[in-house]
Amino acid sequence: MGHFRTGILIALALAVITVFEFWLAHVNSGPTFLMMIAALKAILVIWFFMHVKRLWSAEGAH
Amino acid sequence: MAVSTPLSKPAHADTSYAPVTAHEAGHESYAERLRLNRMGMWLFFISEAFLFGALLATRFYLWGDTRPALDQNIGFIVTTVLLLSSISMYTADTAAEHGQWRAFSVACWVTMILGLVFFFGVVIFEWGLFPQFYKGHLTPWENHYGAVVFAMTGMHALHVISGIVLIFIMWRLARKKHFTTDKHWGIEAAAIYWHYVDVVWIFFYPALYLIGTAAHH
């Protein structure tokens, strides 16, 4: 289970941010802040789930 | 028995230089191919970002600080379903890396089912294609709200369907022992494609459902 831990933690973070985003939108927040939250979620997915850092990893391993 | 293939050596190399084995040479070329594949995949994602970026720009240009009165519960539920599918796809990718092929197989099916739930959630509830279940309140030709909603969700749904097809192909290939823990680029590509579809929805969800005041149309 150890190697799945990162994924679970990131998923929990994404879930919490999504609930916060939903709540924030309903207390009338502006588009800029909501898109910044979306960008934060996208960065988490791109970094941890899409492994973007493998693009410049030297070993070329999975 | 190790088969050794002498490869070209630099002129300054001394004679004690150990020849590279065929296995090592093969691994090196796979690593190089893997780097190029990843680069190609990310270039594809960048090109796709222009398409989805244009749709987002269209939404902000045409709707401004308003939005159609879409069902908030449906939006939240389908977003949660897609997030869950991203977790299961991450599980499938990680399981393949560690040779846990049964977990890989289960996670692939969970992802495909969640992808279909997302797709039908959009098709039934937002598009209203099956009025016997749920009567939709938007049509693509009615006004700029309907046109943008259908364009954005339609283009995204097309990617969801192609992602499901890709995952199914990878699942079939894995069953035929096409992949190993060291060599499974196809699985990695399908996984990052699926996560990309999730990233697109991360921006589409607030743009469609949260930003602006609901307009009566």
Side-chain angles (χ1 to χ4, degrees), chain B residues 29-61:
Chain B
S29 64
Y30 177 76
E32 185 57 35
R33 233 177 23 243
L34 191 59
R35 270 195 290 272
L36 290 172
N37 285 345
R38 281 178 182 148
M39 185 61 74
M41 195 74 183
W42 279 91
L43 286 173
F44 166 69
F45 289 152
I46 291 167
S47 70
E48 288 266 283
F50 284 97
L51 170 71
F52 290 115
L55 286 169
L56 264 180
T58 306
R59 176 257 176 260
F60 283 105
Y61 180 73

Side-chain angles (χ1 to χ4, degrees), chain B:
Chain B
M1 195 176 78
V3 180
S4 61
T5 310
L7 297 178
S8 59
K9 295 184 288 186
H12 57 78
D14 64 23
T15 50
S16 65
Y17 181 84
V20 177
T21 64
H23 172 76
E24 284 168 340
H27 179 76
E28 212 168 78
S29 64
Y30 177 76
E32 185 57 35
R33 233 177 23 243
L34 191 59
R35 270 195 290 272
L36 290 172
N37 285 345
R38 281 178 182 148
M39 185 61 74
M41 195 74 183
W42 279 91
L43 286 173
F44 166 69
F45 289 152
I46 291 167
S47 70
E48 288 266 283
F50 284 97
L51 170 71
F52 290 115
L55 286 169
L56 264 180
T58 306
R59 176 257 176 260
F60 283 105
Y61 180 73
L62 290 178
W63 293 0
D65 202 24
T66 63
R67 61 176 163 80
L70 297 172
D71 191 324
Q72 290 294 312
N73 294 327
I74 300 299
F76 189 74
I77 290 167
V78 294
T79 302
T80 306
V81 166
L82 201 62
L83 171 66
L84 288 172
S85 77
S86 226
I87 299 161
S88 59
M89 197 63 232
Y90 173 85
T91 306
D93 189 20
T94 310
E97 270 180 38
H98 292 84
Q100 298 173 345
W101 296 106
R102 181 158 172 72
F104 165 80
S105 185
V106 171
C108 276
W109 276 102
V110 170
T111 309
M112 287 188 279
I113 290 167
L114 288 172
L116 284 173
V117 169
F118 174 86
F119 177 75
F120 283 111
V122 171
V123 165
I124 292 172
F125 295 105
E126 294 308 353
W127 294 3
L129 286 191
F130 300 98
Q132 61 269 40
F133 296 117
Y134 189 90
K135 200 171 182 322
H137 52 279
L138 284 172
T139 51
W141 51 82
E142 187 184 351
N143 54 28
H144 61 302
Y145 291 114
V148 172
V149 166
F150 272 79
M152 288 174 76
T153 55
M155 190 53 73
H156 185 262
L158 189 68
H159 286 73
V160 169
I161 291 298
S162 56
I164 292 170
V165 171
L166 272 178
I167 295 166
F168 181 74
I169 292 169
M170 294 310 133
W171 174 78
R172 287 267 299 169
L173 288 173
R175 264 173 68 92
K176 294 177 180 172
K177 314 278 184 212
H178 185 80
F179 302 113
T180 65
T181 52
D182 293 331
K183 296 184 178 182
H184 57 271
W185 160 246
I187 293 171
E188 185 185 326
I192 59 173
Y193 181 80
W194 190 257
H195 295 310
Y196 183 75
V197 170
D198 188 31
V199 166
V200 171
W201 189 256
I202 281 173
F203 287 101
F204 276 19
Y205 170 59
L208 288 169
Y209 289 89
L210 303 180
I211 292 172
T213 48
H216 296 282
H217 49 87

Side-chain angles (χ1 to χ4, degrees), chain A residues 29-44:
Chain A
S29 182
T32 311
F33 197 56
L34 286 172
M35 285 319 251
M36 278 169 64
I37 292 174
L40 172 69
K41 286 166 68 182
I43 288 167
L44 287 176

Side-chain angles (χ1 to χ4, degrees), chain A residues 21-58:
Chain A
E21 181 185 32
F22 186 77
W23 172 80
L24 203 64
H26 289 86
V27 294
N28 210 5
S29 182
T32 311
F33 197 56
L34 286 172
M35 285 319 251
M36 278 169 64
I37 292 174
L40 172 69
K41 286 166 68 182
I43 288 167
L44 287 176
V45 174
I46 289 169
W47 189 261
F48 290 102
F49 286 175
M50 297 174 78
H51 309 291
V52 69
K53 58 183 179 291
R54 284 179 181 168
L55 265 183
W56 51 86
S57 65

